[in-house]
Amino acid sequence: MSQEEMSLARKLMIVDDSKVSRMRIRSFFASHCPSWTIQEAGSGDEAIVMAAGDAPDFVTMDVNMPGMSGFETAQLMLVRNPHIRVVMLTANIQEGSRKAAASMQIHFVAKPATEASLQQALDYLLASP
């Protein structure tokens, strides 16, 4: 990834009910993409409200959250703004979840949120659509 790609001002929304996961993801992206604005949502409902006011360019999305699932949240966000690039970053690695992500054209990355898994997410987000 070039310096130019990393320096572009983009908006990332981290959607995860785990504060620890959000902190790890934020730390990774803040260090690799310092010009990005990073928002956090602890639930799908919170993410929908935040995205309606200020749509992100990129989203990392957990699947299993209280209330609305990551798949429901991503679908609503993509209906409103089909240009958002979403990565499912989840410990729910069942085949059904992988297939659901693929059917929605969402990239799937397995947790835990390690340097390697977050690098996979970043590479996808910055790849040409």
Side-chain angles (χ1 to χ4, degrees):
M1 160 181 24
S2 72
Q3 284 299 112
E4 181 182 337
E5 287 174 316
M6 289 190 290
S7 67
L8 288 174
R10 304 283 179 88
K11 287 183 232 154
L12 170 70
M13 182 182 294
I14 302 164
V15 186
D16 199 310
D17 61 322
S18 165
K19 184 165 181 60
V20 172
S21 287
R22 290 194 313 268
M23 287 170 44
R24 280 192 181 138
I25 297 165
R26 175 184 278 278
S27 175
F28 174 88
F29 281 95
S31 68
H32 287 76
C33 308
S35 65
W36 288 15
T37 301
I38 301 174
Q39 300 174 295
E40 295 182 31
S43 70
D45 294 311
E46 186 181 359
I48 294 298
V49 170
M50 290 171 68
D54 188 16
D57 299 297
F58 306 130
V59 176
T60 64
M61 181 79 66
D62 190 15
V63 171
N64 298 326
M65 297 182 288
M68 193 182 314
S69 78
F71 289 114
E72 294 170 295
T73 305
Q75 187 170 25
L76 285 171
M77 291 175 90
L78 289 167
V79 164
R80 292 181 181 169
N81 187 340
H83 302 293
I84 296 173
R85 292 181 63 95
V86 179
V87 170
M88 280 296 173
L89 187 60
T90 182
N92 183 343
I93 58 170
Q94 299 167 357
E95 189 61 28
S97 292
R98 291 177 184 272
K99 286 181 179 177
S103 74
M104 295 173 67
Q105 298 181 333
I106 294 174
H107 192 65
F108 190 94
V109 176
K111 277 185 178 173
T114 62
E115 187 80 15
S117 65
L118 294 172
Q119 187 64 55
Q120 284 180 9
L122 178 59
D123 291 345
Y124 169 76
L125 293 174
L126 293 178
S128 297

